[in-house]
Amino acid sequence: MKEKKGVRLEHISKIYKDPKTGKDFYAVQDTTLDIEAGTFVTLLGPSGCGKTTTLRMIAGFESPDEGEIYLGGEAINHLTPNKRDTAMVFQSYALLPHYNVFDNVAYGLKIRKISKEEIRERVMNILKLVEMDGMESRMTNQLSGGQQQRVALARALVLEPGVLLFDEPLSNLDAKLRVSMRTEIRKIQQKVGITAIYVTHDQSEAMSISDKIIIMSKGKVEQIGTPREIYYHPNSRFVADFIGEANFLDARVLSVDGDKARIQVAGKDLQVNNFGGARAGDTAALVIRPEAAVLADKGHLEATVMLSTFMGAYQYYQVQVDGMEIQITDYNPVNRRIYEVGEKAFLDFDSRGVYIL
Ligand code: ATP
């Protein structure tokens, strides 16, 4: 493989016309970000947040209205897609229907005027990598969805691009195959050491596959971080809510000491983590992941059980704390007492596992 390349977006914007209102709007607005060479980075966010537009601008299928894109340090806005050192794997596979597997993978090399011998060697190597060797002469309509996606991946990889782009590549596969394919894509990316930028709206896909996740909302980057950083240190309510489940309790910030804060919730004083930069006097939200809390006979905050359901792996509770609803997933509850609807209990949590925003 050739040199792997990093990508930089500098103040990138894309303006579209809303077909309904006829008004211009920012599909992507003033986005600046760096993607390190050799890393697997996912663009994640709700439908319409600008993920695909961002990816397509990197590929050259769309051009930014503002800003500059760099690939391996080189400004590439003026380059057409085929002149960019990128290759894209599409959701729809986009395979050539009247070609067999070999010819589909070889196609991009043929138009680059590479010798027959080299084409054969490179195609066979890549088909082996994606575990499709032995299937060279199959027509693409004789392949399963997963196999078609492997061919699509091989076709991109065989070009040895500096950056590999994925546009929701697994969304046409059934749930089980999606899980196994994502593990394979990650393995292949690590083996080849290529830079990968991957668009998805599936958070578990993003969590499991990425070195870093870029969370987008309404055309802007909300947060960039490793899956752990995004989950444990979300910097906004949007991110906390979008990744995993989160409960929010109204809190008042009493005092702040570095990344710790004393807060008041439901008339109780608590010390918690402060990642969001809250200041004394602020109204904030105490964020509690459902798995970070349990019900107990003693604890931080009084709670009334509204719902108590056995789910096998966990006991699911909905409780009320000072008029606010909290969800709890009590994993492996065999060693704890089960609380029934109507009972009074306490919400117990490790203060290090909760934080304010
Ligand atoms: P999804 O997960 O649904 O694919 P996304 O985050 O990839 O969403 P984009 O496809 O980047 O979102 O679209 C961002 C916004 O731009 C959306 O509001 C979309 O409707 C709009 N949009 C995309 N392409 C065009 C276009 N060619 N003309 C006008 N508006 C567009």
Side-chain angles (χ1 to χ4, degrees), residues 16-19 25 27-28 45-54 62 168 199 201:
Y16 284 129
K17 213 176 254 323
D18 186 319
F25 74 99
V28 175
S47 180
C49 70
K51 310 178 290 286
T52 305
T53 304
T54 304
E62 303 283 352
E168 307 229 12
V199 163
H201 58 261

Side-chain angles (χ1 to χ4, degrees), residues 293-311:
V294 290
L295 285 179
D297 294 335
K298 282 191 220 151
H300 296 283
L301 301 168
E302 279 176 40
T304 307
V305 179
M306 310 303 286
L307 186 72
S308 172
T309 312
F310 178 58
M311 301 296 288

